[in-house]
Amino acid sequence: MQSFPRRNATRRAAARALTCGVVALAVSLGAAACTADPAPTSTPSSVVVQPGRPGEDATTVAPEDYEASPEGDTWNRADVAFVTGMIEHHLQALEIAALAPERAESDAVRAFAERVTAAQGPEVHALASWLQARDLAVPEGVEGAGGTGPRAPHGADHDHGDGVAGVLSAEQLDALEAARGAEFDRLFLEGMIQHHEGALAMVDVVLVEGQDLAANEIAAETGAGQGGEIERMRDLLDAL
């Protein structure tokens, strides 16, 4: 028969173990409660979306890093040269397209000339408006846009944008005017491809050197549109 002192000793040992466990748990919980929360990381309260140049993605930056555009107009000489040159460029394209209805043999060539007229006519006035809004001279020949540029001398109808990339020479225009049928179709397509390639060269310059957003948007749209038209005209030329 087990004696009472031994049973009491066992109970005292168990009680001491339980007490130690409770104390340890309390200490652990107390330490956790007293531990300081980690310092919050600083995050910007807002971000600014900074637009990229045409063809580039926009980026997000902290407000203090935002490079805002200076107040007022931001155009430079490259923008003005592009807009002015493109007006001269479009005016000659309209002159070339006007020859097609009576001279072209291919219905596809006549249809293409109609699209050139429909697209580039309104674009001329949009370009002229860009110049007018900045009190800059508008080349002569823009009907209804109040041209303020120098008038072309009498008899110099073929003088379009001296130095403008891709424009046809007086000799090329004379050959177009004299041609009929399949020969006109060939000269028209070859000349218009040259013309469009010149426009793409102008676009490349202003997208690098210009700084006006509107002028750059016009340039990007011109590049995309005329690049596709070059491929179409090459297909037509191969089919002649």
Side-chain angles (χ1 to χ4, degrees):
M1 183 174 182
Q2 190 176 23
S3 63
F4 285 107
R6 186 173 180 179
R7 292 180 63 187
N8 290 340
T10 301
R11 289 176 179 176
R12 284 195 296 270
R16 282 198 300 269
L18 178 60
T19 302
C20 290
V22 172
V23 171
L25 177 60
V27 171
S28 176
L29 292 173
C34 296
T35 302
D37 292 334
T41 56
S42 60
T43 56
S45 58
S46 62
V47 294
V48 176
V49 177
Q50 181 163 302
R53 296 170 67 86
E56 298 179 355
D57 294 332
T59 58
T60 56
V61 297
E64 61 271 17
D65 297 328
Y66 176 58
E67 297 179 1
S69 300
E71 294 183 1
D73 284 332
T74 60
W75 52 270
N76 61 14
R77 292 179 62 183
D79 297 315
V80 177
F82 169 76
V83 174
T84 304
M86 194 56 69
I87 289 175
E88 298 285 356
H89 208 266
H90 280 11
L91 289 175
Q92 191 186 71
L94 294 173
E95 181 180 342
I96 296 170
L99 300 174
E102 296 181 358
R103 293 170 173 79
E105 178 179 283
S106 168
D107 290 337
V109 168
R110 281 193 292 269
F112 184 86
E114 290 175 1
R115 287 196 295 272
V116 169
T117 300
Q120 297 197 20
E123 287 174 5
V124 166
H125 293 282
L127 291 163
S129 296
W130 187 95
L131 293 172
Q132 288 179 317
R134 291 155 181 80
D135 293 325
L136 299 170
V138 177
E140 192 67 25
V142 183
E143 296 179 3
T148 57
R151 291 182 177 276
H154 181 68
D157 294 337
H158 291 335
D159 290 342
H160 284 290
D162 184 24
V164 177
V167 296
L168 274 60
S169 66
E171 291 75 15
Q172 286 176 296
L173 288 172
D174 288 340
L176 260 177
E177 290 178 351
R180 295 290 188 280
E183 178 66 7
F184 174 86
D185 294 343
R186 181 182 65 81
L187 291 177
F188 174 88
L189 292 170
E190 290 175 348
M192 197 63 81
I193 289 172
Q194 171 190 320
H195 211 261
H196 277 33
E197 288 176 339
L200 296 185
M202 295 167 65
V203 165
D204 289 342
V205 171
V206 75
L207 289 180
V208 173
E209 299 181 4
Q211 64 184 42
D212 182 79
L213 180 59
N216 273 243
E217 288 175 345
I218 293 171
E221 291 174 0
T222 299
Q226 298 207 10
E229 288 180 352
I230 287 174
E231 296 304 315
R232 171 60 177 158
M233 286 188 289
R234 286 175 175 159
D235 290 341
L236 293 175
L237 191 59
D238 291 341
L240 292 180

